[in-house]
Every structure is written in C-alpha cells, then in structure tokens.
Amino acid sequence: MMLEIKNVMKRFEDHVVLDGISLDVEKGDVVAILGPSGSGKTTFLRCLNFLEQADSGEMIFEGTRYDLNKAKKSEITALRRKTAFVFQNYNLFLNKTVLENVTLGLILGSRIRKQEANEIAIDALRRVGMADRLSSYPVQLSGGQQQRVAIARVLALKPDIIFFDEPTSALDPELIGEVLSVMRQLAEDGMTMLVVTHEMEFARNVSNKVLFMENAHVVESGSSHEFFANPKSERSREFVNSLASFA
Ligand SMILES: Nc1ncnc2c1ncn2[C@@H]1O[C@H](COP(=O)(O)OP(=O)(O)OP(=O)(O)O)[C@@H](O)[C@H]1O
Ligand SMILES: [Mg+2]
C-alpha cells in the first residue's frame, strides 16, 4: 500500500467536518473524491498535506507513519517533497513567465542549477502541451492553459502522489476538456492521484476508486466501476441517479 489514511477527525469549533475518514491508496490509483458542497472534501485533502491540522488521525505514506495532529516540521517538509497539490485557481506567479513559474520551485526548493531546471521544466511543459508558450505570462493564457502550467509545475518536482482540489471548476466549460485530458494522460502514465471533482465523466472513466462523502462521513468507498454500476447504499444510488439525469 502506498498510502493508508486512518480515521481522520476534524472539527471547526463545534462543527464536525471530518468524522473518521479512512482511505487506502495503491500506487497508480486515481481516487475521485465526490460529494455535495460542504461535505469536507477540501478539508480532507488539506489535512493530508498538513495545510490544515486534523484533530486526530494518522497516515502511513510509503512506509512512514505521520500523526495528522502533531507531525514535526521536519516530517512535514519530507512529506511535502513527495506530494504535490493542484488548486482550483492555479496560483501562478503573474510576474513570471511560464518557464520561470515551473523552474522556480526547482531552483529555490530543490537547488537544481538553472540549465538543468530549464530542461526538466520544458519536459514537464511538453507533457501538458505547453512547451510552445515558455515566455508567455499567465495573463496571456486561458484558464485551461494556466491550469496546465500549474500541473507542469508540480510534475517538474516529480511527486509520488498529486492531490487535486477541483482543478477544473474555475474554468469555462469549453476549457475543462483540455485539463481533464492532461489528467487522463497522467493516470495512464501511472501517476497516483487524489482528485476532488464534480466531473462525473472523469470519475467514471478515469478514476479506479471513489470516495463518496457527505456530512463529514464516508458514504461509500471502493471501486469506481462498482460505485457507478452497483452503488451499495440508497444515498449512493440517489447520487449516481441524480448525475445520470444531467448526462
Ligand atoms: N477554516 C474554516 N473555518 C471554519 N469552518 C470551515 C473552515 N474551512 C471549512 N469549513 C467548513 O467545513 C465544512 C467542509 O468544508 P470543505 O471546504 O471541506 O467542503 P467541500 O466538501 O470541499 O465543499 P465544496 O464542494 O463546496 O468545495 C463546511 O461546512 C465549511 O463551511
Ligand atoms: Mg472544496
């Protein structure tokens, strides 16, 4: 097992947001994290990268155990070298070119020399179809292109797992497909990914596992094929049917 997440609990004051969330992730898994707004999806991902401090819970990642409530700074730094986060709003540096946005983390974070950083960055940008826009600035790009640069930026760091939080939800509908197809390619290349998404085509056809959350709980988790073909609970069935009606 690459990643075992056990019993994550989190409350904001007296509001329970995560009430014992567990998940097993194998290398190469693409897990779609589904559920209505406010069910705790973002908070769950943030706890896994220590962007948020869980009240309790643990995670075993590549053989190392992390207490999600009290990990040391050095442990968090080590973990973040192997994990990456892609946010809804790209978070590119607006005063840097596409190439600089991707090399910055390599040069400052990983202390790689500029020449080599450029090569790694161009390689990553090629994977997302953006190698022809090296000297463009973010404002000169569409949202879909910016998100692809943001994905290249994390690929350049060669993470073992990537967490995506609604990577396409800020995009105009006609730009969603280009980002999803980059993610589908990553999946085919064997990248391990946890993806909070409302894109059911992606959940159905690209992810192999589903974690369906509601009101701080896991309603159902397991094979995505099973989830869509044969949901186990009434609530899952309702959710899948409500999606079908939009298709
Ligand atoms: N920093 C915070 N302080 C207080 N409450 C918070 C905080 N962050 C999130 N919450 C609450 O926790 C609950 C879960 O939020 P979260 O953002 O994890 O949901 P989500 O499933 O990602 O929803 P969405 O689909 O809308 O993004 C919500 O009720 C939210 O209001
Ligand atoms: Mg969210």
Side-chain angles (χ1 to χ4, degrees), residues 12 15 17 35-44 52 165-166 198:
F12 289 109
H15 177 194
V17 176
S37 182
S39 53
K41 306 178 299 293
T42 294
T43 306
F44 177 57
E52 199 76 69
D165 190 4
E166 299 203 37
H198 295 285

Side-chain angles (χ1 to χ4, degrees), residues 11-195:
R11 58 171 70 205
F12 289 109
E13 302 189 341
D14 58 0
H15 177 194
V16 177
V17 176
L18 301 175
D19 194 4
I21 310 296
S22 299
L23 177 69
D24 288 345
V25 183
E26 310 265 9
K27 191 170 173 1
D29 273 349
V30 178
V31 184
I33 301 174
L34 310 176
S37 182
S39 53
K41 306 178 299 293
T42 294
T43 306
F44 177 57
L45 276 197
R46 288 171 58 83
C47 284
L48 302 183
N49 222 11
F50 297 98
L51 297 169
E52 199 76 69
Q53 182 184 21
D55 298 327
S56 63
E58 66 168 22
M59 152 170 114
I60 300 166
F61 177 62
E62 297 181 333
T64 304
R65 186 185 166 282
Y66 298 88
D67 183 330
L68 292 175
N69 178 251
K70 43 177 176 292
K72 293 198 206 83
K73 223 176 169 163
S74 59
E75 293 176 308
I76 295 175
T77 306
L79 176 84
R80 287 189 182 155
R81 277 208 198 93
K82 297 177 187 168
T83 62
F85 224 109
V86 174
F87 300 93
Q88 188 177 337
N89 290 316
Y90 345 123
N91 298 339
L92 297 178
F93 295 106
L94 297 179
N95 60 339
K96 305 251 180 247
T97 64
V98 164
L99 182 62
E100 289 164 346
N101 262 284
V102 182
T103 56
L104 199 66
L106 294 166
I107 293 167
L108 297 183
S110 310
R111 313 239 168 162
I112 290 173
R113 282 182 304 119
K114 192 170 174 189
Q115 175 72 31
E116 194 190 343
N118 283 345
E119 284 166 21
I120 296 170
I122 291 167
D123 220 46
L125 284 162
R126 200 171 285 132
R127 287 179 75 183
V128 302
M130 290 298 294
D132 57 343
R133 300 299 299 270
L134 301 183
S135 50
S136 297
Y137 285 87
V139 291
Q140 300 171 309
L141 305 177
S142 72
Q145 291 170 330
Q146 290 187 55
Q147 187 61 297
R148 286 189 282 142
V149 172
I151 293 172
R153 182 172 55 179
V154 310
L155 288 177
L157 299 169
K158 301 192 166 46
D160 293 347
I161 186 167
I162 306 178
F163 303 126
F164 294 84
D165 190 4
E166 299 203 37
T168 60
S169 61
L171 299 176
D172 292 336
E174 70 272 21
L175 302 177
I176 291 173
E178 64 188 63
V179 172
L180 291 180
S181 84
V182 163
M183 292 171 66
R184 175 194 284 269
Q185 186 59 52
L186 294 182
E188 284 171 10
D189 295 344
M191 179 59 78
T192 310
M193 309 195 271
L194 266 56
V195 186

